[in-house]
Amino acid sequence: MHNFQAQDHFADGAQYIAGRLTRGTSGRTHAVVDPATGDDVFSYELAGRADVDAAVAAAAEAFPGWSGATPGERSDAMHRFAGVLAERAEEFARAESLQCGKPIKLSREFDVPGTVDNAAFFAGAARHLQGQSAGEYSGDHTSYVRREPIGVVGSIAPWNYPLQMAAWKVLPAIAAGNTIVLKPAELTPFTSLLFARAATDAGIPDGVVNIVSGAGKDAGEHLVGHPDVAMTSFTGSTGVGKRVAEIATATVKRLHLELGGKAPFVVFDDADLEAAVHGAVAGALINTGQDCTAATRAYVQRPLYEAFVQGVADLMESVRLGDPFDPATDLGPLISHAHRDRVAGFVDRARSSARVVTGGEAPKHPGAFYKPTLIADAAQDSEVVQAEIFGPVLVVLPFDSDDEGIRLANDTPYGLAASAWSRDVFRANRATREIKAGCVWVNDHIPILSEMPHGGYKASGYGKDMSAYSFEEYTQVKHVMFDNTAVVRKDWHRTIFGDR
């Protein structure tokens, strides 16, 4: 039993506005489905435009007080917040696994501790919103740079990592003194709501963190276009990101986009083969492949190619699918049956021109499961190589020269993450320089750190989550300049009127 009863936690509704739960006013309901069983586990009233307006108004009302607090005061509140999250870790893990189908060991050992660590990091970072040191750059003036909060942030988070994405959106924004309205995916609202309530219980003022659980076409687009929202942060597909950018542009908002990925996994012929095989399976199957940084395209230099294919196939076949709440389960279901069918469609269409080495089918199970799948010998311009599948599917292609391997790695519209596998430091270093991605791992794939930035190149978007770099997204930079001369008639005035 999962022991997370959503109806008990959210009896008053699935919107969190000004420090309390309320019901949505759109007139439509949505059922959260356990993807491991196909059963409805909670129904709630979706947010409408009026709920977005109320949440934005609450955030705007809270902004003067929160932005006016000292960095130390915000830091103290966020340290308490991290403590509350840690105390409720098991509750968060069970809620996340129920709504997403994640194996409980992934929720317990990756999603939840990563979120707690992120909260602790930004609690400390709140004290370090520093601008450039003061200086007399003109000779007659003292200049310095201030970093100031932007205002109300309207953020949209995806369904694949609801808790971590809520943290990535909320924490840097409020650490910098902003207030926020977050719209989680309507499929997965549980942990975002728990996250906001934990903020309130930690003493963060009402209205600083608000949640609107609604559909993208209704609540999401209204939030992005709202005239009182000063910034939009969106994580999701590149296609939807383009629509978000279009709406945000109309009101000249600050915009942060973390979009799709098609991460290459480049294995040179001097790599540790066993390490590469294990890294590829882990990197491809994390969160059932529903990860924009997941290893999706393995390019293997020809001397290792066949051994790599066989090794990955053997290891994939040992992966255990099953009940997400069984600690022995390795791989959970996809988020929905519709998404499982979408993933299956990619694999089925690839059969005519590529080799399905293992997997390629759904097991006989009522949930939205799909077997770990390895596809070999696909063409570089084929759909399975170029498009984001977002499932437990790894495509493997051979290459000959190092030049070819790096060229193929860069040959998609995306540039979010990549990895290079080699024992040669010069070869690996070349790959890190020349692969166009926001993160390049060497001899590993997937680990992330609160201290390091996450964000992409090209069609994978722009802007950074996590790290001190995220403050560049959530602050305004202001130049302040003082005259030091007390001279009334300055020389430069004569360029406008009068003579020297």
Side-chain angles (χ1 to χ4, degrees):
M1 291 293 293
H2 53 75
N3 297 324
F4 183 83
Q5 302 299 324
Q7 58 271 21
D8 295 337
H9 286 80
F10 312 124
D12 294 326
Q15 318 302 324
Y16 197 82
I17 300 172
R20 65 187 184 91
L21 290 167
T22 64
R23 298 184 184 280
T25 62
S26 69
R28 296 183 294 120
T29 60
H30 181 80
V32 177
V33 175
D34 177 355
T37 63
D39 296 335
D40 292 357
V41 294
F42 181 65
S43 291
Y44 67 94
E45 297 87 352
L46 288 165
R49 294 169 65 93
D51 304 302
V52 172
D53 290 342
V56 172
E61 184 177 353
F63 177 72
W66 183 248
S67 62
T70 67
E73 289 168 340
R74 288 199 296 269
S75 177
D76 288 346
M78 293 183 69
H79 275 298
R80 294 194 301 270
F81 187 17
V84 173
L85 295 173
E87 290 168 2
R88 300 176 184 176
E90 183 63 14
E91 178 181 62
F92 276 100
R94 290 185 173 275
E96 193 80 335
S97 287
L98 176 61
Q99 66 182 355
C100 299
K102 293 176 188 282
I104 191 67
K105 65 180 181 180
L106 182 66
S107 294
R108 285 174 175 160
E109 299 176 32
F110 184 77
D111 296 68
V112 175
T115 300
V116 173
D117 183 73
N118 214 230
F121 171 81
F122 279 108
R127 290 180 177 265
H128 297 283
L129 279 170
Q130 298 171 346
Q132 190 174 354
S133 298
E136 286 67 51
Y137 299 99
S138 78
D140 291 337
H141 306 82
T142 295
S143 289
Y144 67 88
V145 171
R146 292 175 54 89
R147 283 195 176 275
E148 297 181 348
I150 295 171
V152 177
V153 178
S155 292
I156 299 176
W159 49 257
N160 58 331
Y161 288 103
L163 176 59
Q164 290 207 74
M165 294 298 101
W168 288 14
K169 301 299 184 195
V170 171
L171 294 169
I174 67 172
N178 302 286
T179 56
I180 190 166
V181 179
L182 172 72
K183 192 200 87 65
E186 61 268 35
L187 298 173
T188 54
F190 294 166
T191 45
S192 296
L193 293 165
L194 294 176
F195 190 77
R197 186 154 59 191
T200 298
D201 292 345
I204 292 175
D206 293 350
V208 173
V209 180
N210 306 275
I211 308 294
V212 288
S213 306
K217 283 289 187 182
D218 190 1
E221 291 198 358
H222 187 50
L223 178 62
V224 173
H226 200 290
D228 295 330
V229 169
M231 173 183 171
T232 291
S233 175
F234 171 80
T235 297
S237 71
T238 298
V240 177
K242 291 177 181 178
R243 174 60 179 158
V244 168
E246 179 184 337
I247 297 170
T249 299
T251 51
V252 198
K253 289 178 172 31
R254 177 78 64 88
L255 186 59
H256 171 209
L257 298 174
E258 199 265 271
L259 306 176
K262 191 72 177 175
F265 186 101
V266 183
V267 182
F268 295 100
D269 58 13
D270 68 328
D272 182 324
L273 178 61
E274 184 179 12
V277 165
H278 280 76
V281 173
L285 299 186
I286 186 171
N287 202 33
T288 319
Q290 299 167 129
D291 185 312
C292 49
T293 63
T296 58
R297 300 178 288 138
Y299 297 101
V300 183
Q301 208 150 22
R302 207 169 293 275
L304 297 184
Y305 181 71
E306 291 298 339
F308 180 89
V309 169
Q310 188 60 57
V312 169
D314 291 344
L315 191 53
M316 278 187 169
E317 289 168 5
S318 73
V319 171
R320 300 163 295 184
L321 283 69
D323 178 5
F325 289 92
D326 181 347
T329 293
D330 297 322
L331 196 73
L334 292 157
I335 189 63
S336 68
H337 287 81
H339 186 58
R340 182 196 64 187
D341 294 345
R342 177 184 176 275
V343 170
F346 277 101
V347 177
D348 291 342
R349 290 189 296 274
R351 294 180 192 276
S352 63
S353 58
R355 174 167 52 112
V356 178
V357 181
T358 190
E361 63 180 358
K364 293 181 179 179
H365 193 285
F369 290 88
Y370 196 77
K371 290 183 178 180
T373 298
L374 179 64
I375 298 174
D377 307 331
Q380 175 65 16
D381 62 355
S382 63
E383 180 187 48
V384 288
V385 174
Q386 293 293 322
E388 189 173 27
I389 299 173
F390 225 57
V393 179
L394 177 64
V395 184
V396 188
L397 297 85
F399 69 92
D400 292 305
S401 69
D402 289 15
D403 288 349
E404 182 188 17
I406 292 173
R407 178 180 61 79
L408 293 171
N410 286 327
D411 185 29
T412 71
Y414 300 104
L416 186 58
S419 62
W421 297 74
S422 173
R423 291 185 173 99
D424 184 328
V425 65
F426 299 103
R427 208 176 202 183
N429 199 32
R430 178 193 175 190
T432 66
R433 291 194 311 271
E434 296 186 13
I435 293 176
K436 305 304 181 187
C439 175
V440 181
W441 294 283
V442 176
N443 296 327
D444 207 346
H445 195 106
I446 285 298
I448 54 175
L449 298 166
S450 296
E451 292 85 356
M452 290 291 109
H454 176 86
Y457 286 24
K458 303 190 292 185
S460 292
Y462 46 82
K464 299 299 179 185
D465 289 311
M466 301 194 296
S467 81
Y469 291 98
S470 64
F471 285 132
E472 296 177 6
E473 313 301 322
Y474 293 98
T475 56
Q476 299 274 20
V477 174
K478 177 186 287 184
H479 171 213
V480 178
M481 194 173 196
F482 283 87
D483 171 59
N484 293 331
T485 66
V487 172
V488 174
R489 297 182 178 181
K490 295 179 171 59
D491 282 348
W492 75 268
H493 292 176
R494 304 301 160 249
T495 64
I496 312 302
F497 59 87
D499 300 318
R500 288 187 181 275

